[in-house]
Short mmCIF file of all heavy atoms in Angstrom, two decimals:
data_model
loop_
_atom_site.label_atom_id
_atom_site.label_comp_id
_atom_site.label_asym_id
_atom_site.label_seq_id
_atom_site.Cartn_x
_atom_site.Cartn_y
_atom_site.Cartn_z
N ASP A 1 -19.72 -4.71 21.54
CA ASP A 1 -20.32 -6.04 21.69
C ASP A 1 -19.63 -6.75 22.84
O ASP A 1 -18.86 -6.16 23.59
CB ASP A 1 -20.22 -6.84 20.38
CG ASP A 1 -18.77 -7.15 19.99
OD1 ASP A 1 -17.84 -6.65 20.65
OD2 ASP A 1 -18.57 -7.88 19.00
N GLU A 2 -19.91 -8.05 22.98
CA GLU A 2 -19.30 -8.82 24.06
C GLU A 2 -17.95 -9.38 23.65
O GLU A 2 -17.30 -10.09 24.42
CB GLU A 2 -20.23 -9.98 24.46
CG GLU A 2 -21.59 -9.56 24.98
CD GLU A 2 -22.55 -9.16 23.86
OE1 GLU A 2 -22.35 -9.58 22.69
OE2 GLU A 2 -23.51 -8.42 24.16
N GLY A 3 -17.52 -9.09 22.42
CA GLY A 3 -16.27 -9.64 21.92
C GLY A 3 -15.18 -8.61 21.84
O GLY A 3 -14.71 -8.10 22.85
N ASP A 4 -14.79 -8.24 20.60
CA ASP A 4 -13.69 -7.30 20.43
C ASP A 4 -13.96 -6.31 19.30
O ASP A 4 -13.09 -6.00 18.50
CB ASP A 4 -12.36 -8.03 20.19
CG ASP A 4 -12.47 -9.11 19.14
OD1 ASP A 4 -13.50 -9.18 18.45
OD2 ASP A 4 -11.50 -9.89 19.00
N THR A 5 -15.20 -5.83 19.26
CA THR A 5 -15.58 -4.81 18.29
C THR A 5 -15.48 -3.45 18.98
O THR A 5 -16.30 -3.11 19.82
CB THR A 5 -17.01 -5.04 17.76
OG1 THR A 5 -17.09 -6.37 17.24
CG2 THR A 5 -17.35 -4.04 16.67
N HIS A 6 -14.46 -2.71 18.61
CA HIS A 6 -14.13 -1.46 19.30
C HIS A 6 -14.55 -0.26 18.47
O HIS A 6 -14.60 -0.31 17.24
CB HIS A 6 -12.62 -1.38 19.57
CG HIS A 6 -12.12 -2.42 20.51
ND1 HIS A 6 -12.00 -2.19 21.86
CD2 HIS A 6 -11.71 -3.69 20.30
CE1 HIS A 6 -11.53 -3.28 22.45
NE2 HIS A 6 -11.34 -4.20 21.52
N ALA A 7 -14.82 0.84 19.17
CA ALA A 7 -15.07 2.13 18.52
C ALA A 7 -14.29 3.20 19.26
O ALA A 7 -14.15 3.16 20.48
CB ALA A 7 -16.56 2.46 18.54
N CYS A 8 -13.77 4.15 18.51
CA CYS A 8 -13.13 5.33 19.07
C CYS A 8 -14.01 6.53 18.73
O CYS A 8 -15.03 6.38 18.05
CB CYS A 8 -11.71 5.49 18.51
SG CYS A 8 -11.63 5.97 16.78
N PRO A 9 -13.69 7.72 19.19
CA PRO A 9 -14.58 8.86 18.91
C PRO A 9 -14.86 9.10 17.43
O PRO A 9 -15.95 9.56 17.06
CB PRO A 9 -13.83 10.04 19.53
CG PRO A 9 -13.07 9.42 20.67
CD PRO A 9 -12.64 8.08 20.16
N GLU A 10 -13.92 8.76 16.56
CA GLU A 10 -14.10 9.02 15.12
C GLU A 10 -14.76 7.86 14.37
O GLU A 10 -15.05 7.98 13.18
CB GLU A 10 -12.73 9.30 14.48
CG GLU A 10 -12.05 10.56 14.95
CD GLU A 10 -11.38 10.44 16.30
OE1 GLU A 10 -11.13 9.29 16.74
OE2 GLU A 10 -11.13 11.48 16.94
N SER A 11 -15.01 6.75 15.05
CA SER A 11 -15.42 5.53 14.34
C SER A 11 -16.78 5.66 13.65
O SER A 11 -16.99 5.07 12.58
CB SER A 11 -15.44 4.34 15.30
OG SER A 11 -14.15 4.04 15.77
N PHE A 12 -17.71 6.39 14.24
CA PHE A 12 -19.03 6.54 13.61
C PHE A 12 -18.88 7.21 12.24
O PHE A 12 -19.43 6.73 11.24
CB PHE A 12 -19.95 7.36 14.51
CG PHE A 12 -21.36 7.50 13.98
CD1 PHE A 12 -22.27 6.46 14.11
CD2 PHE A 12 -21.76 8.66 13.35
CE1 PHE A 12 -23.57 6.58 13.63
CE2 PHE A 12 -23.06 8.80 12.86
CZ PHE A 12 -23.96 7.75 13.00
N THR A 13 -18.12 8.27 12.19
CA THR A 13 -17.91 8.99 10.93
C THR A 13 -17.18 8.11 9.91
O THR A 13 -17.53 8.10 8.72
CB THR A 13 -17.09 10.27 11.19
OG1 THR A 13 -17.81 11.11 12.10
CG2 THR A 13 -16.85 11.04 9.90
N VAL A 14 -16.19 7.37 10.38
CA VAL A 14 -15.43 6.51 9.48
C VAL A 14 -16.31 5.37 8.95
O VAL A 14 -16.24 5.01 7.77
CB VAL A 14 -14.18 5.94 10.18
CG1 VAL A 14 -13.41 5.02 9.24
CG2 VAL A 14 -13.27 7.07 10.65
N ALA A 15 -17.16 4.82 9.80
CA ALA A 15 -18.05 3.74 9.36
C ALA A 15 -19.03 4.23 8.30
O ALA A 15 -19.35 3.51 7.35
CB ALA A 15 -18.80 3.16 10.55
N LEU A 16 -19.51 5.46 8.43
CA LEU A 16 -20.37 6.03 7.39
C LEU A 16 -19.59 6.20 6.09
O LEU A 16 -20.14 6.01 4.99
CB LEU A 16 -20.93 7.38 7.84
CG LEU A 16 -21.94 7.38 8.98
CD1 LEU A 16 -22.37 8.82 9.30
CD2 LEU A 16 -23.17 6.53 8.64
N LEU A 17 -18.32 6.55 6.20
CA LEU A 17 -17.48 6.71 5.01
C LEU A 17 -17.26 5.37 4.31
O LEU A 17 -17.26 5.29 3.08
CB LEU A 17 -16.16 7.33 5.42
CG LEU A 17 -15.27 7.86 4.28
CD1 LEU A 17 -15.92 9.07 3.63
CD2 LEU A 17 -13.89 8.22 4.82
N ALA A 18 -17.07 4.31 5.09
CA ALA A 18 -16.89 2.98 4.50
C ALA A 18 -18.12 2.56 3.72
O ALA A 18 -18.02 2.07 2.59
CB ALA A 18 -16.57 1.96 5.60
N ALA A 19 -19.30 2.75 4.31
CA ALA A 19 -20.53 2.43 3.59
C ALA A 19 -20.68 3.33 2.36
O ALA A 19 -21.13 2.89 1.29
CB ALA A 19 -21.73 2.58 4.52
N GLY A 20 -20.29 4.60 2.51
CA GLY A 20 -20.39 5.53 1.40
C GLY A 20 -19.48 5.17 0.24
O GLY A 20 -19.80 5.43 -0.93
N ALA A 21 -18.34 4.56 0.53
CA ALA A 21 -17.44 4.12 -0.53
C ALA A 21 -18.12 3.07 -1.40
O ALA A 21 -18.01 3.09 -2.64
CB ALA A 21 -16.15 3.56 0.06
N VAL A 22 -18.86 2.16 -0.78
CA VAL A 22 -19.56 1.12 -1.54
C VAL A 22 -20.65 1.76 -2.40
O VAL A 22 -20.83 1.40 -3.57
CB VAL A 22 -20.14 0.06 -0.60
CG1 VAL A 22 -20.83 -1.04 -1.39
CG2 VAL A 22 -19.04 -0.53 0.28
N ILE A 23 -21.36 2.71 -1.84
CA ILE A 23 -22.40 3.42 -2.61
C ILE A 23 -21.77 4.13 -3.81
O ILE A 23 -22.28 4.05 -4.94
CB ILE A 23 -23.14 4.41 -1.70
CG1 ILE A 23 -24.03 3.65 -0.72
CG2 ILE A 23 -23.95 5.41 -2.51
CD1 ILE A 23 -24.65 4.51 0.36
N GLY A 24 -20.67 4.83 -3.59
CA GLY A 24 -20.00 5.52 -4.69
C GLY A 24 -19.50 4.55 -5.74
O GLY A 24 -19.57 4.84 -6.95
N ALA A 25 -18.98 3.42 -5.31
CA ALA A 25 -18.48 2.42 -6.25
C ALA A 25 -19.62 1.85 -7.10
O ALA A 25 -19.47 1.63 -8.31
CB ALA A 25 -17.77 1.30 -5.49
N ILE A 26 -20.76 1.61 -6.47
CA ILE A 26 -21.91 1.12 -7.22
C ILE A 26 -22.33 2.13 -8.28
O ILE A 26 -22.63 1.77 -9.44
CB ILE A 26 -23.07 0.82 -6.25
CG1 ILE A 26 -22.75 -0.44 -5.43
CG2 ILE A 26 -24.40 0.66 -6.99
CD1 ILE A 26 -23.68 -0.69 -4.26
N ASP A 27 -22.31 3.39 -7.93
CA ASP A 27 -22.68 4.43 -8.90
C ASP A 27 -21.76 4.42 -10.12
O ASP A 27 -22.23 4.43 -11.26
CB ASP A 27 -22.65 5.82 -8.24
CG ASP A 27 -23.87 6.11 -7.39
OD1 ASP A 27 -24.91 5.45 -7.57
OD2 ASP A 27 -23.78 7.02 -6.54
N VAL A 28 -20.45 4.42 -9.91
CA VAL A 28 -19.55 4.53 -11.05
C VAL A 28 -19.56 3.26 -11.91
O VAL A 28 -19.39 3.33 -13.13
CB VAL A 28 -18.11 4.88 -10.62
CG1 VAL A 28 -18.06 6.25 -9.96
CG2 VAL A 28 -17.49 3.82 -9.74
N VAL A 29 -19.79 2.12 -11.27
CA VAL A 29 -19.85 0.87 -12.03
C VAL A 29 -21.15 0.78 -12.84
O VAL A 29 -21.13 0.47 -14.04
CB VAL A 29 -19.67 -0.34 -11.10
CG1 VAL A 29 -20.02 -1.64 -11.82
CG2 VAL A 29 -18.24 -0.41 -10.57
#
């Protein structure tokens, strides 16, 4: 973005994992 939102080569995979954690948490709850 025009601010300070950075990505490194692994960030796409990590971001999918972060969203996946919420999905997994919803399932167990």
Side-chain angles (χ1 to χ4, degrees):
D1 65 354
E2 299 78 22
D4 48 11
T5 305
H6 295 266
C8 71
E10 294 78 19
S11 295
F12 183 78
T13 300
V14 179
L16 291 179
L17 193 68
V22 182
I23 288 171
I26 288 169
D27 281 341
V28 297
V29 168

